[in-house]
Amino acid sequence: MVTDFAELHEPLVEWVSDHTAADPMGDVSITEFGATHGLDKQQSFRLLQYCKSRGLLDDHYSTFGDPAANLTPRGIQWLEERKHRRADPAARAAAARRGLLVWLWQRRHEGSAMPTVADVLQAPQSLFEGERLTAREIDRAAGHLHSRGLISGYMLASGDGPAQAEITAEGEDCVENYGGDIGVYERRNSGGNTTFNIGSNTGNIAANSRDFTLNATTNNGVNLADVVMLTRALRQAAPILDLPEDDAAEFTRLANCMEEEASSDNPDPGHLQQLGSSLVAILNSPVVSGALGSVLAAYTGVVLPGLPAGS
């Protein structure tokens, strides 16, 4: 059996939290969790070490030699942020649309004609932050995708979207060239040609300021420390960009994903570039007004060289 630690580590952190609710920093044996997921003791120990390497759990061993875990301060913060994202209606809606579109793309390439939309609830694409989306959220997502021409299907009197659907050519283009990111796909033709030249970086963005200077250091590679600083700057600025609800949720999600990638054990520069391009597309879109969006776009292009900066 090949253990997928990347898939199991998040459920384990939540499981430890649930079983140490009365004492968040206390420890609990994870043998039960391991058995539920088909892990032997050695694999459970290795999974725990994987979580420890990410700073989410620490390990204390009982006198019986079972693997035991406790949440770290970083793990507690990670859980709080995850639960906050999980409770965000706009973020859930964006995840439902993207997940359903990608799932329908997969069904098309498997040769399935007009699959039942609700079947996505049995697939990984209906998971958001470890929690299953609801049938109502998937129905609303189907209605949104249908209205945008990304899927087709027969509409019924009840419900917002078709009960059975298939992806359209436009939907396939969205998945294959934009990763299923509907917001970026719809903004693909927006942009401009203003160029910002930025020098040395001296600090973060003051999100509540009216007049400020933002500087950054250019280099040929990707400085991960600069990427982390960038994501924090983006989150600080998000409330004053006047983004529509869906765009604000997607903007924050992308910034969070970028920070997670930059902070991971083996960051993928290509993935960072993709996330940066998506953020720049939002910043360059007509929904962002004022100079702040242009400056942020330019800053992103400097931190991740090669991106189109400015609007």
Side-chain angles (χ1 to χ4, degrees):
M1 171 183 176
V2 177
T3 306
D4 189 347
F5 293 151
E7 180 179 331
L8 288 178
H9 83 279
E10 292 182 351
L12 175 59
V13 174
E14 293 218 41
W15 188 90
V16 170
S17 175
D18 292 341
H19 287 75
T20 57
D23 181 12
M25 299 298 288
D27 63 335
V28 61
S29 170
I30 65 169
T31 301
E32 179 184 343
F33 177 90
T36 301
H37 293 273
L39 307 182
D40 59 27
K41 181 181 290 188
Q42 181 181 12
Q43 290 170 325
S44 296
F45 269 116
R46 290 177 60 199
L47 175 59
L48 177 52
Q49 290 301 311
Y50 181 85
C51 293
K52 184 179 178 181
S53 71
R54 300 182 72 87
L56 301 174
L57 295 178
D58 205 343
D59 54 345
H60 298 290
Y61 303 106
S62 73
T63 56
F64 298 102
D66 289 333
N70 65 285
L71 288 165
T72 63
R74 180 180 176 184
I76 293 174
Q77 180 184 7
W78 176 84
L79 272 174
E80 290 175 348
E81 292 174 351
R82 190 183 206 207
K83 290 176 180 178
H84 177 74
R85 294 192 300 270
R86 185 184 285 165
D88 185 339
R92 293 178 68 90
R97 295 166 188 170
R98 187 173 191 166
L100 178 58
L101 189 65
V102 171
W103 182 79
L104 286 171
W105 181 91
Q106 292 177 343
R107 302 290 78 72
R108 163 66 65 83
H109 288 267
E110 289 175 354
S112 300
M114 299 293 287
T116 300
V117 168
D119 287 350
V120 71
L121 291 167
Q122 308 299 319
Q125 288 79 16
S126 63
L127 289 173
F128 174 63
E129 295 293 347
E131 181 177 88
R132 187 74 62 185
L133 296 166
T134 67
R136 179 67 182 129
E137 287 172 321
I138 293 299
D139 179 49
R140 285 197 294 263
H144 180 89
L145 296 174
H146 188 271
S147 70
R148 294 295 195 275
L150 299 175
I151 68 173
S152 62
Y154 300 106
M155 301 295 291
L156 302 177
S158 60
D160 292 343
Q164 292 180 287
E166 63 182 358
I167 194 168
T168 63
E170 290 79 6
E172 289 190 286
D173 183 28
C174 179
V175 173
E176 293 168 4
N177 296 305
Y178 300 89
D181 191 321
I182 299 161
V184 173
Y185 177 73
E186 293 183 337
R187 290 188 294 271
R188 63 194 183 281
N189 294 322
S190 65
N193 57 5
T194 301
T195 300
F196 285 78
N197 297 311
I198 300 177
S200 61
N201 181 28
T202 59
N204 210 338
I205 291 177
N208 294 320
S209 298
R210 295 179 60 85
D211 300 297
F212 59 89
T213 300
L214 180 63
N215 300 311
T217 300
T218 61
N219 54 64
N220 293 327
V222 176
N223 186 316
L224 298 177
D226 287 347
V227 175
V228 172
M229 180 178 289
L230 167 64
T231 61
R232 294 170 182 171
L234 293 171
R235 283 197 295 267
Q236 283 185 10
I240 57 174
L241 290 174
D242 296 325
L243 290 166
E245 186 177 33
D246 284 358
D247 289 295
E250 180 65 3
F251 187 82
T252 301
R253 186 191 70 80
L254 290 168
N256 287 333
C257 289
M258 183 180 288
E259 180 170 10
E260 289 179 6
E261 183 67 44
S263 303
S264 66
D265 294 337
N266 295 296
D268 181 351
H271 190 208
L272 289 173
Q273 290 279 348
Q274 182 182 31
L275 292 168
S277 294
S278 298
L279 285 163
V280 169
I282 294 177
L283 293 168
N284 283 340
S285 68
V287 301
V288 177
S289 60
L292 179 57
S294 297
V295 174
L296 285 170
Y299 187 28
T300 303
V302 169
V303 174
L304 298 171
L307 295 183
S311 64

